[in-house]
Amino acid sequence: MDDPTSLLLRVAESRDKAALAALFTYFAPRVKSMMLKLGAGDALAEDLVQETFVSVWRKAALYSSQRGAASTWIFTIARNLRIDQLRRQSNKPYEDLESLELASDAPLGSALVEQRQVIDRVTLALKNLPAEQQDVVRLSFIHDMPHAQIAESLGVPLGTVKSRLRLAYGRLRPLLEDLQ
């Protein structure tokens, strides 16, 4: 076989079909192998090989040996055809929303039971705390209030709020540590 660059130049300059056939004979198996590695099935890989050499025939005049080897140019055309094919494939029609079934966001029955059991245990554990510790825990976690605002609403210093929370954690930890 002649040099691929000279064959490609013959296709470009004189529309030499024998030169294109020689390029096809040499590169077609390699291009097909590349397509298979890029995830194309056997039939699609063969179609893409055909499209590659149709493009080589049409665009041969655009080839410049100063910009790279003929093989690089041919494999670039093949790769771009595969990318175009994947883009066309991804434009799937929309599904009819009437027939589409969506999973419910509602928790399962067993999850609701477990959640209820956790709430009951936390409520019982909170009842074991002194009233002032219960107040700061409820305001902090249930009402999501910052410590400074809790101090202001209860009329106690900020340090007292933090101290009560720390004491409450100390009492709740042994009662609820298995829930973590």
Side-chain angles (χ1 to χ4, degrees), residues 30-123:
R30 291 164 178 79
V31 171
K32 182 178 178 183
S33 175
M34 181 180 91
M35 292 301 163
L36 293 171
K37 287 177 185 169
L38 292 174
D42 195 54
L44 178 59
E46 289 181 18
D47 288 346
L48 289 169
V49 168
Q50 296 293 327
E51 284 185 54
T52 299
F53 284 94
V54 168
S55 292
V56 167
W57 177 256
R58 283 194 210 131
K59 298 176 181 182
L62 300 174
Y63 171 71
S64 169
S65 59
Q66 288 89 18
R67 295 176 63 199
S71 58
T72 304
W73 188 73
I74 292 170
F75 283 113
T76 300
I77 289 172
R79 180 185 60 95
N80 290 342
L81 286 170
R82 175 65 175 147
I83 291 169
D84 290 345
Q85 186 274 329
L86 287 169
R87 285 183 183 144
R88 284 191 305 270
Q89 180 183 353
S90 71
N91 291 334
K92 295 179 182 165
Y94 294 104
E95 291 186 37
D96 185 15
L97 294 179
E98 301 286 323
S99 63
L100 190 63
E101 289 186 34
L102 298 174
S104 172
D105 286 342
L108 297 173
S110 60
L112 288 173
V113 170
E114 287 177 28
Q115 186 180 27
R116 186 72 233 165
Q117 289 173 346
V118 168
I119 290 170
D120 290 345
R121 281 199 50 207
V122 170
T123 303

Side-chain angles (χ1 to χ4, degrees), residues 107-171:
L108 297 173
S110 60
L112 288 173
V113 170
E114 287 177 28
Q115 186 180 27
R116 186 72 233 165
Q117 289 173 346
V118 168
I119 290 170
D120 290 345
R121 281 199 50 207
V122 170
T123 303
L124 185 62
L126 283 173
K127 287 182 181 175
N128 290 327
L129 296 177
E132 61 273 354
Q133 289 176 13
Q134 286 182 32
D135 291 341
V136 293
V137 169
R138 281 196 178 93
L139 292 173
S140 180
F141 290 98
I142 296 172
H143 298 286
D144 201 25
M145 289 174 67
H147 296 171
Q149 191 177 353
I150 295 171
E152 186 179 316
S153 68
L154 294 178
V156 297
L158 179 60
T160 302
V161 170
K162 291 180 179 184
S163 176
R164 287 178 183 172
L165 281 171
R166 187 177 41 76
L167 291 170
Y169 296 152
R171 289 187 176 184

Side-chain angles (χ1 to χ4, degrees), residues 14-32:
S14 60
R15 308 297 283 167
D16 187 341
K17 291 179 183 175
L20 181 66
L23 284 171
F24 183 87
T25 301
Y26 182 74
F27 283 107
R30 291 164 178 79
V31 171
K32 182 178 178 183

